[in-house]
Amino acid sequence: MWSWLSVALSGFISISANESNQKSQAVVFKTLTLFMLVAMIWTQDGVVGISAWWITLGLIISALADSLYIFQKHKKLCFAAYIGSQLCYSTSFWLQLSGEIVWWLPAMLLAIGIVVFFLMLPKIDRLIFPVVMMGMMLLQLNWAAGEVWLVSATLAGAVGFLGTLTLTLSAGLLAVHDYRHPLTYGRYLISGSYLLAHSLITAALFI
């Protein structure tokens, strides 16, 4: 319990610091938050495994991506880092699967993704390639986590799937906030859901 409270407090400080334009402090606490999640993974009994390694790598790459995003530096590297972290998370879920694939799930996710894409199209005409890349990566991430949930029918599977959906929601809120119209408390919603997503994906390892 105290570990999760520490993660929540550190995350809130990083969000508040970023809103106050205290970028260095925001980076320190954002990195601290993600590395506390890493520490939680490796201090739990019986968690060590290939999925734990992939999620750990995803958290570390996310910390790098967040630092670059906050400082608005090396945007291409920042984007590649976000893609890389999502790839790490999805790999951790795909490795848990074997047997037949439930095809209605990716079909449903693809249909939702297409609708959202065309709703956003008028505002992202010059950003189509990165949006499509990010969308495809998030789609397969949700697919992988959803498959794990459907196959395992466990609380851990449900938490992991909810985490990936929350990560997608955060990306969607960011797109709306930056390219359509600013949301009330938008940055708090975006950053809060983003950190919640990482926490849920991490928690899926040891629930």
Side-chain angles (χ1 to χ4, degrees), residues 21-96:
N21 204 33
Q22 298 175 339
K23 294 184 177 181
S24 296
Q25 184 178 347
V27 167
V28 169
F29 280 94
K30 178 68 74 67
T31 303
L32 177 63
T33 301
L34 295 177
F35 274 84
M36 280 196 290
L37 292 175
V38 172
M40 289 174 66
I41 292 174
W42 295 102
T43 54
Q44 296 291 324
D45 294 332
V47 174
V48 177
I50 190 65
S51 292
W53 280 107
W54 279 110
I55 290 182
T56 297
L57 182 58
L59 289 167
I60 293 171
I61 296 174
S62 294
L64 170 63
D66 292 339
S67 299
L68 294 174
Y69 180 79
I70 290 173
F71 284 120
Q72 294 294 299
K73 293 182 177 180
H74 307 292
K75 293 185 178 180
K76 291 183 179 179
L77 177 59
C78 177
F79 179 78
Y82 279 123
I83 293 293
S85 68
Q86 293 163 16
L87 182 61
C88 289
Y89 289 151
S90 61
T91 301
S92 73
F93 288 111
W94 286 121
L95 290 172
Q96 299 176 48

Side-chain angles (χ1 to χ4, degrees), residues 104-126:
W104 64 263
L105 178 60
M108 181 185 69
L109 292 171
L110 180 61
I112 295 172
I114 290 173
V115 171
V116 173
F117 173 76
F118 280 105
L119 288 174
M120 294 297 300
L121 189 59
K123 298 293 184 180
I124 59 172
D125 55 331
R126 290 180 293 181

Side-chain angles (χ1 to χ4, degrees), residues 6 117 126 147 202:
S6 298
F117 173 76
R126 290 180 293 181
E147 287 281 348
T202 301

Side-chain angles (χ1 to χ4, degrees), residues 135-201:
M136 291 175 60
M137 190 58 64
L138 288 170
L139 187 149
Q140 65 86 31
L141 172 58
N142 285 300
W143 180 12
E147 287 281 348
V148 170
W149 173 49
L150 291 173
V151 170
S152 66
T154 61
L155 177 59
V159 169
F161 186 37
L162 180 59
T164 63
L165 291 175
T166 305
L167 189 61
T168 304
L169 173 63
S170 179
L173 290 172
L174 178 64
V176 172
H177 185 76
D178 284 355
Y179 301 113
R180 291 191 68 89
H181 58 81
L183 302 172
T184 304
Y185 301 112
R187 289 298 172 187
Y188 285 96
L189 292 173
I190 294 165
S191 298
S193 58
Y194 176 78
L195 290 174
L196 176 62
H198 289 292
S199 298
L200 290 172
I201 291 171

